[in-house]
């Protein structure tokens, strides 16, 4: 059978997976909104959560689209679209695809021409990411019980415990921002972008607390992120030139 | 049974059903490709490919469940782990939503707000990618233009700066040690940038250790 990485069959498979993801998301959204109403969380808070998350998601979603485009030169459009819509992230998908391609001896700058090679890549990209979700299926309840027992009995420690989780994540990503600083001025660009974002958030904090612009609370993160992304254009040009 | 417990139990039940279906569907994709094109892979290549990624990504995938599930809540975990893009999208979306709504992650209010944020983020991402693929001819030159390149290259710093200032300013005493450790570590070993997923649990364990120490000494 003739094979193409952009074959209509692959689009059909992708459509099924994407519809599944949408159906699951809508199912959880509807149930959570219903429960939020039972818990007397106001409609305004729910609406602002949805709008703020939509604004926040737009830029990273476009970055994921760029990842789809970057993989499409090798794997076609439908399969990267599928992989980056469910379970995956470029940080995993790219190494999985390239490691297998290298094992087979494929050229990464050309479409995969052989169905058997494509199938090998599809298997690796799928099997290489599956254990986490299997653990969620069979172990989430037990893990949550363990977490509850770690923080229960002492309310103050429970709060510190949760803050520590968030700060552990945030500290790793703040460290990442400094990874290139030894490469000269251009390497400081991510730090400068993060600083602009932090400064914007500090200003938003003052506007919320001192000027009582409470609606800003929901939109501060997406606004700061988009402003810092916009600032990255002149910053990258300027710091790149200096470097 | 209390209403709260009933809700959580039902989330576990439906969550498991959706995740089980998701796993079956995911595994069906390479099977369908192999069957449709009568092209089962050379398993030696699959094994070689897996040996290159599985030791790291299986470990990261398992650690992520322990690290992210307390942050995302029950519904958020069942949904977020199926839809993917956790550290760059779903986790910050949930943290931002809970922070802005003034609810705690370990409360039921936090559980539902986190789920609403993750579900919204999944739907918006799916739709943006779908529209983007349909309009690819027109969008590709714009998205890949030299002008916009820095915007997408610096999404993580643009996100973490704002998110970081909120959490660090609130908990600066417990934030100092992991921040200094991570910054020094990445400066000394920049190659770790590609393994940030592994360093998240390291950061979590370190922060917890510091917190526990400060807490025991009544410094928090």
């Amino acid at each position: 059978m003739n094979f193409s990485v952009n074959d209509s069959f692959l689009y059909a498979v992708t459509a099924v997976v994407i519809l599944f993801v949408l159906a699951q998301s809508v199912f959880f959204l509807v149930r959570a909104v219903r429960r939020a109403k039972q818990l007397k969380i106001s409609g305004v808070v729910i609406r602002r959560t949805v709008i703020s998350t939509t604004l926040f998601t737009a830029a990273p979603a476009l970055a994921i689209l760029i990842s789809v485009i970057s993989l499409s030169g090798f794997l076609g459009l439908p399969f990267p679209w599928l992989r980056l819509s469910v379970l995956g992230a470029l940080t995993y998908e790219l190494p999985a695809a390239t490691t297998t391609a290298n094992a087979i001896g494929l050229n990464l700058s050309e479409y995969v021409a052989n169905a058997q090679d494509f199938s090998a890549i599809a298997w690796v990209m799928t099997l290489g990411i599956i254990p986490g979700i299997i653990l969620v299926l069979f172990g989430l309840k037990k893990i949550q019980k363990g977490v509850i027992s770690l923080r229960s009995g002492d309310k103050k420690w429970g709060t510190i415990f949760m803050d520590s989780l968030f700060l552990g994540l945030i500290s790793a990503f703040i460290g990442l921002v400094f990874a290139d600083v030894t490469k000269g001025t251009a390497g400081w660009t991510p730090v400068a972008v993060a600083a602009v974002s932090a400064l914007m958030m500090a200003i938003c904090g003052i506007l919320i607390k001192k000027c009582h612009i409470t609606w800003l609370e929901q939109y501060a993160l997406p606004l700061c992120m988009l402003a810092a992304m916009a600032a990255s254009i002149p910053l990258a040009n300027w710091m790149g030139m200096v470097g | 049974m209390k209403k709260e417990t009933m809700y959580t139990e039902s989330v576990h039940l439906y969550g498991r059903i959706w995740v089980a279906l998701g796993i079956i569907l995911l595994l069906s994709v390479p099977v369908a490709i192999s069957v449709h094109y009568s092209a089962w892979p050379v398993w030696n290549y699959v094994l070689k490919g897996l040996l290159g990624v599985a030791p790291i990504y299986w470990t990261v995938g398992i650690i992520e469940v322990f690290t992210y599930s307390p942050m995302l809540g029950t519904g958020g975990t069942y949904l977020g782990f199926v839809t993917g893009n956790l550290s760059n999208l779903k986790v910050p979306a949930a943290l931002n939503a809970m922070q802005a709504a003034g609810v705690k992650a370990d409360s039921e209010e936090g559980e539902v707000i986190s789920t609403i944020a993750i579900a919204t983020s999944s739907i918006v991402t799916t739709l943006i990618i779908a529209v983007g693929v349909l309009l690819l001819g027109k969008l590709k030159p714009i998205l890949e233009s030299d002008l916009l390149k820095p915007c997408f290259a610096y999404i993580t710093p643009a996100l973490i700066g704002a998110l970081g200032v909120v959490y660090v300013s609130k908990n600066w005493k417990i934030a100092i040690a992991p921040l200094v450790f991570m910054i020094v570590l990445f400066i000394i070993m920049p190659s770790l940038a590609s393994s940030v997923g592994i360093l998240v649990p390291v950061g979590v364990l370190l922060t917890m250790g510091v917190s526990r120490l400060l807490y025991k000494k009544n410094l928090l």
Side-chain angles (χ1 to χ4, degrees):
Chain A
M1 182 181 282
N2 283 338
F3 173 75
S4 158
V5 288
N6 290 311
D7 189 15
S8 54
F9 174 75
L10 294 173
Y11 276 102
V13 171
T14 302
V16 172
V17 173
I18 284 168
L19 286 175
F20 175 84
V21 170
L22 278 176
Q24 187 187 3
S25 304
V26 171
F27 178 85
F28 275 83
L29 179 63
V30 170
R31 281 179 54 85
V33 169
R34 271 190 207 148
R35 185 65 187 148
K37 284 178 181 165
Q38 287 170 357
L39 291 168
K40 310 270 186 265
I41 296 174
S42 80
V44 176
V45 171
I46 298 170
R47 206 163 40 248
R48 282 183 181 171
T49 301
V50 170
I51 296 171
S52 160
T53 306
T54 302
L55 283 175
F56 166 77
T57 302
L62 284 174
I64 296 168
L65 178 62
I66 292 174
S67 305
V68 173
I69 295 169
S70 68
L71 282 172
S72 69
F74 171 57
L75 292 172
L77 209 45
F79 195 65
W81 181 10
L82 181 159
R83 289 297 324 143
L84 288 163
S85 297
V86 60
L87 247 175
L90 187 70
T91 45
Y92 160 73
E93 305 298 346
L94 192 60
T98 50
T99 309
T100 319
N102 289 335
I104 302 170
L106 296 174
N107 184 348
L108 293 168
S109 57
E110 293 170 2
Y111 282 144
V112 180
N114 181 313
Q116 202 176 25
D117 296 342
F118 188 87
S119 156
I121 293 168
W123 276 100
V124 174
M125 287 171 87
T126 305
L127 293 177
I129 197 97
I130 217 89
I133 196 172
I134 289 176
L135 180 60
V136 169
L137 175 63
F138 293 109
L140 182 62
K141 220 171 174 180
K142 279 184 187 163
I143 291 168
Q144 285 189 329
K145 275 183 187 163
V147 171
I148 290 167
S149 73
L150 271 175
R151 66 177 190 228
S152 62
D154 184 341
K155 230 176 177 182
K156 193 180 175 191
W157 170 246
T159 307
I160 298 168
F161 177 90
M162 291 308 293
D163 287 342
S164 302
L165 274 176
F166 299 148
L167 281 168
L169 168 84
I170 287 165
S171 63
F173 279 92
I174 290 181
L176 174 70
V177 167
F178 286 81
D180 289 333
V181 294
T182 52
K183 292 180 184 167
T185 315
W188 283 91
T189 312
V191 182
V193 174
V196 169
S197 173
L199 183 68
M200 292 285 299
M201 189 53 119
I203 294 169
C204 285
I206 293 168
L207 289 173
I208 293 163
K209 283 187 181 153
K210 303 281 178 194
C211 305
H212 306 288
I213 307 175
T214 48
W215 62 264
L216 191 58
E217 204 160 359
Q218 298 280 346
Y219 305 108
L221 184 70
L223 288 177
C224 294
M225 191 176 84
L226 292 173
M229 284 172 69
S232 72
I233 298 173
L235 279 172
N237 283 326
W238 180 65
M239 299 181 87
M241 270 190 265
V242 176
Chain B
M1 197 186 282
K2 279 166 72 182
K3 221 172 182 183
E4 179 184 329
T5 324
M6 277 171 61
Y7 175 73
T8 311
E9 281 300 319
S10 73
V11 174
H12 274 297
L13 175 69
Y14 290 120
R16 281 173 167 173
I17 293 171
W18 278 103
V19 168
L21 289 173
I23 292 171
I24 293 167
L25 190 65
L26 268 176
L27 290 172
S28 305
V29 171
V31 173
I33 291 169
S34 304
V35 171
H36 180 77
Y37 297 106
S38 306
W40 289 90
V42 176
W43 293 106
N44 191 27
Y45 291 147
V46 174
L47 190 67
K48 278 184 183 170
L50 276 177
L51 281 174
V53 290
I56 295 174
Y57 290 100
W58 284 8
T59 313
V60 171
I62 287 166
I63 291 172
E64 276 184 343
V65 182
F66 288 93
T67 318
Y68 293 147
S69 63
M71 304 184 201
L72 300 176
T74 311
T77 303
Y78 283 120
L79 183 58
F81 273 82
V82 171
T83 56
N85 288 297
L86 284 167
S87 62
N88 58 331
L89 191 52
K90 305 293 161 48
V91 176
L95 294 190
N96 174 52
M98 288 187 284
Q99 166 73 26
V103 294
K104 289 184 175 177
D106 55 356
S107 66
E108 208 191 348
E109 286 78 5
E111 158 79 36
V112 293
I113 291 290
S114 166
T115 306
I116 291 171
I118 292 167
T120 305
S121 184
S122 302
I123 294 167
V124 172
T125 307
T126 309
L127 293 179
I128 286 181
I129 298 175
V131 171
V133 168
L134 292 174
L135 301 175
L136 194 63
K138 286 180 183 167
L139 283 178
K140 197 176 172 186
I142 301 169
L143 291 173
E144 291 187 334
S145 69
D146 285 340
L147 179 71
L148 287 183
K149 251 181 197 165
C151 283
F152 297 111
Y154 297 117
I155 278 188
T156 303
L159 162 66
I160 208 66
L163 201 59
V165 81
V166 173
Y167 281 92
V168 173
S169 62
K170 274 188 185 170
N171 306 283
W172 63 271
K173 281 184 187 170
I174 52 177
I176 292 173
L179 272 178
V180 170
F181 174 80
M182 285 296 171
I183 290 171
V184 171
L185 185 69
F186 275 101
I187 291 175
I188 295 170
M189 299 175 74
S191 59
L192 287 174
S194 57
S195 319
V196 69
I198 297 171
L199 289 169
V200 171
V202 174
V204 167
L205 288 175
L206 177 66
T207 315
M208 281 193 178
V210 171
S211 304
R212 193 70 192 164
L213 199 70
L214 293 173
Y215 181 64
K216 284 281 176 194
K217 292 192 171 186
N218 283 323
L219 292 168
L220 292 177

